[in-house]
């Protein structure tokens, strides 16, 4: 009846628009609901969409025209194949959509009772089962790909954090070394300034008696050129001090 056709067309459009709206809402407000809540929303949409085509299997079935019925079944089962790819990320949603249409088509052929329709009923059911098997396979591959992608993102994030931390520590250590060198330079300059202005003789020597440092007063006292005393033997006795060149 035309009234049923109009009602079905309106219902199909409402479901289609609802699916588009749900997709846009999910992209825009993904963080406002949990994954489970969004899963329930898409499950309800898949059930409504499957009902649209399940009703079509009964509403447009022409028992006196096998060709027409074959074309109708091809369209409906093609809808199963095409729509299932959109629901690969969720097994429950995929099951609801696939079985909702496939079982309805198979049941309608089965009710017709004629041998050709019984055969088409069985083939429709087998087609739905085959599509589910493919769907499960692609679902596993899709989940593996997503898991690998998330692992790579986590690895990149950890590597980036480690790199930033290492750079921060290197910068901190470099600053510490620079400050330490500056302090050491100031201390050395202060030490040399104090030692060089002394009028007393100041020297350092190794256990074997070899001089390692003398101040200017030491060199002036012994009449040595600047820097000549370092490296010579420093010998002592009870009465005098001598510097002997090697």
């Amino acid at each position: 009846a035309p009234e049923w056709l109009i009602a079905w067309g309106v219902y199909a459009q409402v479901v289609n628009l609802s699916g588009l709206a749900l997709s846009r809402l999910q992209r825009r407000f993904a963080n406002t609901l949990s994954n489970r809540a969004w899963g329930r929303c898409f499950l309800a949409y898949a059930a409504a969409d499957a009902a649209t085509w399940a009703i079509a299997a009964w509403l447009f079935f022409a028992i006196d025209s096998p060709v027409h019925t074959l074309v109708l079944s091809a369209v409906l089962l093609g809808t199963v194949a095409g729509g299932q790819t959109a629901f690969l990320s969720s097994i429950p949603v995929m099951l609801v959509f696939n079985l909702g249409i496939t079982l309805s088509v198979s049941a309608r052929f089965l009710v017709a009772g004629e041998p050709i329709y019984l055969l088409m009923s069985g083939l429709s059911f087998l087609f739905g089962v085959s599509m589910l098997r493919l769907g499960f396979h692609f679902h596993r591959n899709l989940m593996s790909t997503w898991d690998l992608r998330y692992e790579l993102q986590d690895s990149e994030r950890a590597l980036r954090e480690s790199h930033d931390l290492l750079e921060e520590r290197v910068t901190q250590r470099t600053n510490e070394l620079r400050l330490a060198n500056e302090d050491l330079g100031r201390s050395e300059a202060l030490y040399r300034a104090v030692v060089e202005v002394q009028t007393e003789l100041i020297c350092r020597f190794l256990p074997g008696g070899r001089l390692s440092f003398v101040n200017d007063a030491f060199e002036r006292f012994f009449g040595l050129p600047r820097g000549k005393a370092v490296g010579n033997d420093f010998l002592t006795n009870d009465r005098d001090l001598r510097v002997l060149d090697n």
Side-chain angles (χ1 to χ4, degrees):
E3 294 81 4
W4 283 103
L5 294 177
I6 294 174
W8 179 84
V10 172
Y11 174 77
Q13 289 300 319
V14 170
V15 171
N16 185 42
L17 293 175
S18 299
L20 294 175
L22 182 61
S23 297
R24 292 186 178 181
L25 288 174
Q26 198 274 337
R27 285 194 297 268
R28 186 172 181 181
F29 303 105
N31 297 326
T32 59
L33 293 177
S34 64
N35 290 335
R36 180 173 297 181
W38 283 115
R40 293 195 189 100
C41 293
F42 279 101
L43 185 62
Y45 164 70
D49 196 19
T52 302
W53 302 105
I55 293 171
W58 294 80
L59 193 61
F60 300 110
F61 188 86
I63 194 171
D64 56 344
S65 176
V67 175
H68 173 84
T69 304
L70 181 61
V71 172
L72 175 63
S73 65
V75 171
L76 295 177
L77 296 178
T79 301
V80 172
Q84 184 172 282
T85 59
F87 302 127
L88 286 176
S89 60
S90 175
I91 291 294
V93 174
M94 185 173 60
L95 283 172
V96 167
F97 183 78
N98 182 305
L99 295 178
I101 300 175
T102 301
L103 292 180
S104 179
V105 172
S106 298
R108 185 64 186 91
F109 285 142
L110 189 63
V111 170
E114 296 184 11
I116 184 63
Y117 293 140
L118 294 177
L119 177 62
M120 293 175 66
S121 175
L123 292 176
S124 299
F125 181 77
L126 290 177
F127 177 84
V129 172
S130 299
M131 289 303 303
L132 282 178
R133 291 186 61 184
L134 287 175
F136 292 150
H137 174 73
F138 287 125
H139 172 79
R140 286 192 298 268
N141 291 339
L142 180 62
M143 293 299 102
S144 298
T145 302
W146 283 0
D147 290 341
L148 180 60
R149 178 182 178 184
Y150 293 143
E151 289 177 2
L152 289 175
Q153 289 178 347
D154 292 340
S155 299
E156 289 177 357
R157 189 181 304 109
L159 183 61
R160 191 163 46 249
E161 291 175 355
S162 299
H163 178 267
D164 294 340
L165 180 60
L166 180 60
E167 282 192 344
E168 181 181 353
R169 289 183 176 178
V170 169
T171 301
Q172 181 180 1
R173 185 59 178 165
T174 301
N175 292 333
E176 291 176 355
L177 292 175
R178 179 178 56 80
L179 294 176
N181 287 332
E182 290 177 356
D183 291 339
L184 180 61
R186 286 193 295 267
S187 299
E188 183 179 358
L190 179 61
Y191 171 78
R192 287 187 176 276
V194 172
V195 171
E196 295 296 340
V197 298
Q198 293 292 321
T199 57
E200 292 83 1
L201 305 184
I202 299 176
C203 67
R204 290 197 303 267
F205 53 89
L206 301 175
R210 189 178 298 275
L211 290 168
S212 60
F213 171 79
V214 296
N215 67 343
D216 289 345
F218 187 98
E219 292 177 330
R220 287 195 302 269
F221 181 80
F222 287 101
L224 296 173
R226 186 175 182 84
K228 186 66 175 178
V230 175
N232 291 323
D233 290 336
F234 180 46
L235 306 176
T236 63
N237 57 32
D238 295 339
R239 298 188 58 85
D240 67 343
L241 299 174
R242 293 177 299 158
V243 175
L244 301 179
D245 295 338
N246 289 337

